[in-house]
Structure formats: structure tokens, C-alpha cells
Amino acid sequence: MIDHSFNIKILEYSLPYDKNFFKYIKEYPLKSFEHNNNSYFNEKEDSELNEKVNGYIKSIADQNNCVLVKTWIQQYNEGQFHDIHTHGNGEFYSFIWYLDCTEKSSFTVFYNQGYPYILTHKFFSKPEKNKFILFDGTLPHFVLPNKDNTR
């Protein structure tokens, strides 16, 4: 585990590769939006997806005293991105799990809380296969425009 501490911690883990899980995620139905492709706006929450993901991250969740509530998948084609945003109001951890990427895949950028009024620190997370990032959902973050069709 690597700890990228701001005012709030950003924890980085490496998870094992599982061919069947990777295939399941690659075949998961995503909707195409202007900025990325995702499953966030599915009309019904997919409990099977949550159950599968929870099986892989349970030890990390237990170690950090958190429970998986909602999972969605995002895929970025060339030029796609995600604007700066936060998740929740401080009650939730969020995570990013890079399952597929290349050297050209776009970084995720994190700012300390208080951005844009407090510009104390930012962290660039380079996508690496099976890297898992756990962070407080109130940290402002965004995804730079992607330079491949793999992320």
C-alpha cells in the first residue's frame, strides 16, 4: 500500500488480476455520453456488479472500515474525460480501480479540499492495471482527456 496523504489520505493498493472478472467488466453494458462511457445512470442498481466488486475489495473495505454501497463502470475513449467533481458530503469513501489501461491512458488528478480557493497540493494518479485508489469522496478530482481507447 502507498499512502498519498493530503489533508485527507489517498490510499493506493495493487489487486490481483482475474481473467473472468476482467471479461465480465469488459462485457458490461455501458451507455455512451459526451465525456465518457459509463453505467452510472442505469435505471436499476446492479446488485450483481456490487457483489462481484465487493468480493475483490472486501479486505480493503474491512481494513478501512467502509462498506461498498454503489459501483459503476467508466470507460474512456480517445479525447474523453471527466470534469472536476466530488462524491457525497463526507460520509463516503470513493474508489477508482484501473482495470485496463496503457501508457497513453489519462491520469486522474486530485486536489486537496478547499480547491479552488486553497491551492496547496495536487496529486496525479497514473493508471496502472489493477491499481486501486481509495479516497474520501469529498476530494475534488477529475480525469484528463484520454489519449487512447483503453482506459
Side-chain angles (χ1 to χ4, degrees), residues 99-118:
L99 293 174
D100 199 12
C101 54
T102 69
E103 285 295 317
K104 294 171 104 181
S105 294
S106 56
F107 286 46
T108 303
V109 181
F110 293 90
Y111 285 102
N112 247 334
Q113 288 177 321
Y115 176 85
Y117 304 105
I118 301 171

Side-chain angles (χ1 to χ4, degrees), residues 18-35:
D18 181 298
K19 182 172 72 172
N20 292 329
F21 179 71
F22 182 77
K23 184 177 188 266
Y24 172 80
I25 295 297
K26 289 293 275 185
E27 294 174 351
Y28 200 85
L30 303 178
K31 292 183 182 176
S32 181
F33 293 92
E34 180 181 355
H35 302 303

Side-chain angles (χ1 to χ4, degrees), residues 1-12 110-113 120-123 133-135 139:
M1 175 189 61
I2 299 171
D3 180 345
H4 299 284
S5 291
F6 282 21
N7 295 335
I8 294 175
K9 290 183 178 190
I10 298 174
L11 302 174
E12 181 179 311
F110 293 90
Y111 285 102
N112 247 334
Q113 288 177 321
T120 56
H121 195 79
K122 69 178 160 182
F123 165 66
I133 305 285
L134 182 69
F135 59 98
L139 284 178

Side-chain angles (χ1 to χ4, degrees), residues 132-146:
F132 183 91
I133 305 285
L134 182 69
F135 59 98
D136 183 302
T138 62
L139 284 178
H141 59 285
F142 64 96
V143 176
L144 294 166
N146 202 35

Side-chain angles (χ1 to χ4, degrees), residues 69-82:
V69 176
K70 180 164 177 54
T71 305
W72 64 91
I73 298 168
Q74 290 197 179
Q75 188 264 334
Y76 298 86
N77 291 325
E78 188 170 356
Q80 292 183 325
F81 61 94
H82 198 141

Side-chain angles (χ1 to χ4, degrees), residues 15 18 20-25 28 46-58 68 71 73 95 97:
L15 294 175
D18 181 298
N20 292 329
F21 179 71
F22 182 77
K23 184 177 188 266
Y24 172 80
I25 295 297
Y28 200 85
D46 187 340
S47 60
E48 180 183 288
L49 176 62
N50 275 358
E51 188 178 310
K52 284 185 179 287
V53 171
N54 195 47
Y56 285 93
I57 69 166
K58 184 160 178 28
L68 182 63
T71 305
I73 298 168
F95 71 87
W97 186 356

